[in-house]
Amino acid sequence: MALSKKELVLNAMDRKEVERVPSGFWFHFLKDETHADAFTHPELEKQLLEGEIRYIDEVQPDFVKIMTDGFFAYRNPAIQKATTAAELAKIQPLSDDDPYFVRQVAYAKELTRRYGSDIAMFYNLFCAGTILKFVRPGTISENEKFLAQLIQEDKAAVRAAFDVISADIAKLAERIIKEGGATGVYFSLQNLAGSADRALYDEVFAPGEKEILRAANHASAYNILHICGYLGHRNELDWYKDYEAKTINWAAVVEGVPLEEGKKIFPQHALLGGFGNLPNDVLCSGTRAEVEAETRRILAAAGRTGVILGADCTVPSDTDWQRFEWVRSAARGA
């Protein structure tokens, strides 16, 4: 009896031999995914849900990264209002019945009710540092500089704020899995822009990030860590060798670290990725023959065990979905 797509993906995550290497790609469903606020504008949640359903029904993907456009807005005004590290440290946790939890659990539950028995579904979550960059006024670049300024001002205060935010995200992770029915979470983080200070990262960022993964792992053995290379952001990948997640996804093309090299950094993990996600990368602009050839090349180098094909990050929203099937078809024959 043939395995379901869900069983196929979980076997790949367990680094078992698989009949074919699974693949999956994702993209944003809202035009302004960063600043869209579905809590204030519920019509955006409807648009997001309808987009997910249409994509899953038409593409029948091997697995789903549940996109959270419109839910990036962590509903805590202290983040938006803070101008100093001391003000940020006054942040208080959200109540259990806050819409931040309730609405997202309901959204996940609707998708997993439809597809969760047959398809592995991983809910997108961000770390505290990324949330701060998303929800404050200004651009991501401006907010990265603001965060660096706050850390220089009082890193203990920033750590205290991150502990509160991370505790809320950890609670959401557990509820999304236990109540929302998600297979696991897809947890996104990255190094502090412009800083390669490992000691600082371990002191300020890592404790909350590891707490989120602990909560997710308590609820499910199948979680994905995404080391984000969005907009060309570079990361020190080996900082995450001791992060507990079944599968690791990083920007293989942006970092210049292909899957076969990633196996040396993460020898005990399954690996997700291999393809670039920019408009000029082969996945998005190559011919069918080129996409299929790239699929075979990636698998020839990385092997078939403990590998799931995907991209560095989200692909452009206007990407032809047929391209994803080209990858799947080539992987089937590889």
Side-chain angles (χ1 to χ4, degrees), residues 266-287:
F266 304 108
Q268 304 303 316
H269 299 78
L271 308 180
L272 165 61
F275 285 92
N277 69 312
L278 299 180
N280 60 337
D281 285 324
V282 64
L283 175 68
C284 304
S285 64
T287 65

Side-chain angles (χ1 to χ4, degrees), residues 25-31 33 54-55 59 67 69 277-281 283-286 314-324 326:
F25 302 92
W26 48 89
F27 48 87
H28 292 294
F29 292 97
L30 302 183
K31 290 183 179 180
E33 73 278 357
R54 176 170 169 261
Y55 170 67
V59 176
M67 300 301 285
D69 306 357
N277 69 312
L278 299 180
N280 60 337
D281 285 324
L283 175 68
C284 304
S285 64
T314 53
V315 300
S317 298
D318 60 356
T319 303
D320 185 346
W321 297 351
Q322 184 63 33
R323 292 177 170 276
F324 309 153
W326 296 349

Side-chain angles (χ1 to χ4, degrees), residues 5 23-25 55-57 59-64 119 328:
K5 290 178 179 178
S23 60
F25 302 92
Y55 170 67
I56 297 169
D57 285 347
V59 176
Q60 297 290 306
D62 289 338
F63 69 95
V64 171
I119 304 175
R328 182 160 50 184

Side-chain angles (χ1 to χ4, degrees), residues 77-89 136 146 149-150 153:
I79 295 181
Q80 287 89 351
K81 294 179 179 179
T83 58
T84 66
E87 290 174 353
L88 186 66
R136 283 189 56 83
F146 176 72
Q149 172 190 321
L150 293 187
E153 178 185 318

Side-chain angles (χ1 to χ4, degrees), residues 35-102:
H35 297 105
D37 185 351
F39 300 107
T40 304
H41 301 282
E43 69 275 10
L44 295 178
E45 180 181 350
K46 181 175 183 291
Q47 182 180 339
L48 174 65
L49 179 62
E50 289 175 348
E52 286 274 21
I53 290 171
R54 176 170 169 261
Y55 170 67
I56 297 169
D57 285 347
E58 292 190 16
V59 176
Q60 297 290 306
D62 289 338
F63 69 95
V64 171
K65 177 196 168 192
I66 300 178
M67 300 301 285
T68 53
D69 306 357
F71 290 124
F72 290 13
Y74 176 67
R75 296 166 50 82
N76 210 315
I79 295 181
Q80 287 89 351
K81 294 179 179 179
T83 58
T84 66
E87 290 174 353
L88 186 66
K90 295 177 181 179
I91 191 170
Q92 295 297 309
L94 301 175
S95 64
D96 288 350
D97 61 352
D98 191 278
Y100 183 75
F101 300 117
V102 176

